[in-house]
């Protein structure tokens, strides 16, 4: 049988291939989104939103789950119905100072939803979609209504 | 597969490999390292809900969420009432008054940067006074403005 030898170009290609595999491995190891404690974790996310009608606030409060408005994928589910209360608005006092008083025309819906995902070194990564942190505004859908929620805090959640 | 096709594939492999190297390690990683300076800079975050303030913590690593660059760690924090502009009927002009609910945060961030134009370069993020910072830590997100940059005593 005729013995075939590798040309110097073939050796160079094999060397380049080996270096390429090594670089991909190094890049994979340096990715920062690897979960810290594994998948399947839950976070309790406290949120608030404002709306200008009581009926709309009540519809939002009946929602059993929230989804991302842009991708329609699940953001979290609601364990306890949220609270509806008058939203606070700014008003100027006669002495020139600003008061922050409950409104008769605007309502605040405030509650907590449970999101699944993983806690990474960059924060809570919800459902493989995006990170959720405090002070973040998220366009969400609740009971068919599009709303913008403000995330107030994110904590580990463990069901008892 | 014909011999010609195999040869063409072999000839394409090396250029593609070189190209992939630059994709995996972008050009700025290959630039010659300039001398880095320890800096402190202030980021002003405005009109924050009081309940989010506890999520801003010292020691948190800060990333600019647009350039995806690590831009330092939180060194210190201070909070002041948010100033809001309103019409004063007694003075018949707009006046700034403290808001009773919302807060502004001054976050001092410690970082290593290389001097660049009028400021510093932190990874691929260009920091200068007036720059918009898409401030992102593991527990907090916000959009702020860089209001001051100092060289830290450690580097001077």
């Amino acid at each position: 049988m005729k013995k075939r030898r590798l040309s110097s170009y073939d050796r160079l290609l094999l060397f380049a291939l080996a270096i390429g595999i090594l670089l991909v491995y190094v890049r994979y190891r340096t990715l920062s989104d690897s979960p810290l404690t594994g998948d399947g974790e839950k976070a309790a996310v406290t949120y608030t939103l404002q709306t200008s009608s009581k009926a709309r606030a009540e519809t939002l409060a009946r929602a059993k789950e929230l989804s991302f408005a842009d991708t329609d994928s699940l953001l979290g589910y609601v364990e306890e119905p949220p609270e509806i209360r008058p939203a606070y608005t700014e008003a100027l006092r006669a002495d020139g100072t600003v008061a922050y008083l409950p409104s008769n025309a605007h309502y605040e819906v405030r509650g907590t939803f449970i999101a699944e995902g993983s806690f990474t070194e960059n924060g809570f990564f919800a459902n493989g979609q995006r990170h959720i942190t405090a002070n973040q505004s998220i366009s969400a859908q609740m009971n068919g209504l599009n709303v913008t929620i403000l995330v107030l805090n994110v904590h580990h959640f463990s069901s008892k | 597969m014909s011999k010609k096709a195999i040869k063409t594939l072999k000839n394409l492999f090396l250029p593609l490999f070189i190209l992939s190297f630059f994709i995996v390690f972008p050009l700025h990683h290959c630039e010659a390292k300039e001398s880095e300076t320890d800096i402190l800079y202030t980021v002003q975050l405005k009109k924050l809900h009081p309940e989010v303030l506890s999520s801003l913590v010292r020691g948190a690593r800060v990333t600019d969420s647009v350039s995806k660059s690590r831009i330092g760690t939180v060194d210190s924090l201070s909070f002041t009432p948010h100033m809001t502009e309103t019409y004063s009927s007694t003075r018949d002009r707009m006046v700034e008054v403290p808001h009773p609910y919302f807060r502004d945060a001054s976050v001092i961030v410690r970082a290593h940067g290389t001097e660049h134009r009028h400021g510093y370069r932190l990874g691929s993020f260009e920091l200068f006074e007036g720059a918009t910072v898409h401030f992102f830590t593991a527990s907090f997100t916000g959009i702020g403005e860089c209001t001051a940059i100092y060289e830290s005593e450690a580097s001077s």
Side-chain angles (χ1 to χ4, degrees), chain A residues 9-10 13 16-17 19-20 23 27 32 90 92 96 98-100 110 121-123 131 133-135 150-152, chain B residues 10 13 17 21 24-25 48-49 51-52 55 61 70 86-87 97 99-102 136-142:
Chain A
Y9 189 73
D10 289 331
L13 287 182
L17 189 64
I19 295 288
L23 289 177
R27 185 65 172 164
S32 57
E90 296 160 21
L92 187 68
V98 171
Y100 201 57
R110 184 198 161 91
E121 61 179 25
N122 287 332
H131 288 99
T133 59
N135 199 44
L150 174 71
V151 175
L152 297 175
Chain B
K10 276 169 95 177
F13 181 81
F17 170 75
F21 181 84
V24 175
F25 293 98
L48 300 176
H49 195 289
E51 288 180 54
V52 306
S55 300
R61 285 198 298 181
R70 296 264 188 220
T86 186
Y87 173 71
V97 289
H99 196 284
Y101 193 67
F102 293 115
F136 179 90
T137 72
S139 58
F140 183 89
T141 301

Side-chain angles (χ1 to χ4, degrees), chain B residues 39 113-121 126-129 149:
Chain B
I39 55 167
T114 50
E115 282 192 44
H116 179 75
R117 293 186 193 155
H118 307 295
Y120 293 87
R121 186 185 270 279
E126 288 181 21
L127 179 76
F128 51 90
E129 286 183 14
I149 308 174

Side-chain angles (χ1 to χ4, degrees), chain B:
Chain B
M1 201 184 275
S2 71
K3 277 187 174 179
K4 197 177 174 186
I6 292 170
K7 198 175 176 185
T8 312
L9 277 175
K10 276 169 95 177
N11 289 337
L12 274 174
F13 181 81
L14 201 57
L16 283 175
F17 170 75
I18 292 167
L19 186 69
S20 67
F21 181 84
F22 289 110
I23 293 169
V24 175
F25 293 98
L27 269 179
H28 62 83
H29 283 224
C30 306
E31 285 172 6
K33 283 248 172 184
E34 295 170 42
S35 63
E36 289 202 330
T37 312
D38 287 331
I39 55 167
L40 293 167
Y41 62 94
T42 307
V43 179
Q44 286 280 349
L45 297 155
K46 297 202 166 190
K47 207 175 181 184
L48 300 176
H49 195 289
E51 288 180 54
V52 306
L53 302 182
S54 60
S55 300
L56 255 175
V57 288
R58 281 184 66 183
R61 285 198 298 181
V62 187
T63 303
D64 177 74
S65 58
V66 170
S67 66
K68 311 282 183 204
S69 297
R70 296 264 188 220
I71 56 170
T73 52
V74 175
D75 194 70
S76 63
L77 297 155
S78 60
F79 303 106
T80 50
H82 173 65
M83 298 303 285
T84 184
E85 196 180 39
T86 186
Y87 173 71
S88 166
S89 56
T90 51
R91 296 187 215 171
D92 193 25
R93 63 181 171 91
M94 299 302 285
V95 290
E96 266 206 331
V97 289
H99 196 284
Y101 193 67
F102 293 115
R103 295 282 178 273
D104 289 347
S106 281
V107 185
I108 297 181
V109 182
R110 184 178 289 278
H112 308 288
T114 50
E115 282 192 44
H116 179 75
R117 293 186 193 155
H118 307 295
Y120 293 87
R121 186 185 270 279
L122 312 172
S124 61
F125 178 70
E126 288 181 21
L127 179 76
F128 51 90
E129 286 183 14
T132 299
V133 180
H134 293 84
F135 188 97
F136 179 90
T137 72
S139 58
F140 183 89
T141 301
I143 298 176
E145 184 189 329
C146 171
T147 53
I149 308 174
Y150 339 82
E151 282 193 12
S152 91
E153 285 176 13
S155 68
S156 57

